[in-house]
Amino acid sequence: KIIARYIEEIRTDDWLKKLILKNLKSSDYPKDTKVEFARRIGWYAIARAIKPKVIVETGVHNGVGACVLTRALMKNSEEGILGEYFGTDIDESAGQLITSPLSDYGKILYGDSIKSLGKLNYTIDLFINDSDHSETYEQQEYEIINKKLSSNAIILGDNSHVTDRLSKFSLKNNRKFIFIPEQPKDHWYPGAGIGVSYIHSQKEKSV
């Protein structure tokens, strides 16, 4: 019920949609770009549910994901829970869609994601891998943030529909893994999904 409420919250967030479309008009991106939250709806619901103090997303690109995540932090702050967003991208023009007041909740670190993550001196509660989609680079990101994760941190993999790197990382580090498929309605694209790596908080019963 909690997750369903947050999903409905982002789906009906006209304020966010209008802000993104407004920023799109003043950006360098094609003006006929259609803004869809798609699987980022799942990112938002998780960010609202776990109330992270620090969110890190690699691969900001135009910034729709950044807008969704910082919007979640804005909503969390209205409930008295503060959080901060860090996005990484090698393209210095990335993230044009994230402006005030959303940009008040985070910032973008420009440069190679691996190097940026190495320099990041924060404990991470929610990590989203969405940068270079090669298996090797994805694996490197998980390895470099492993010791920076909080005890109940969640990792979301945007590449989990084509690689098993997050599931193997989860197995190696005693984490649980599930895959949430994306199923676009009436569209040629078959959909990607969300890989979710998390720590089971309850003791499992022996069988």
Side-chain angles (χ1 to χ4, degrees), residues 194-206:
I194 308 173
V196 185
S197 174
Y198 64 100
I199 298 291
H200 199 285
S201 59
Q202 299 178 353
K203 292 183 178 179
E204 295 189 26
K205 297 179 181 179
S206 58

Side-chain angles (χ1 to χ4, degrees), residues 57-66 85-89 94-95 98 108 130:
E57 176 197 13
T58 61
V60 174
H61 191 44
N62 54 31
V64 175
Y85 164 91
F86 294 95
T88 70
D89 205 291
I98 179 170
I108 300 174
D130 191 18

Side-chain angles (χ1 to χ4, degrees), residues 18-71:
K18 288 178 181 177
L19 179 65
I20 292 175
L21 288 174
K22 175 185 175 182
N23 293 340
L24 183 63
K25 291 178 181 178
S26 60
S27 72
D28 296 336
Y29 302 120
K31 301 305 178 284
D32 60 348
T33 298
K34 188 176 181 181
V35 178
E36 298 285 1
F37 295 149
R39 57 189 174 278
R40 299 182 190 91
I41 291 172
W43 299 7
Y44 178 90
I46 290 173
R48 289 286 280 128
I50 70 173
K51 304 292 190 291
K53 292 181 179 179
V54 174
I55 297 176
V56 176
E57 176 197 13
T58 61
V60 174
H61 191 44
N62 54 31
V64 175
C67 289
V68 167
L69 293 168
T70 50
R71 179 58 167 164

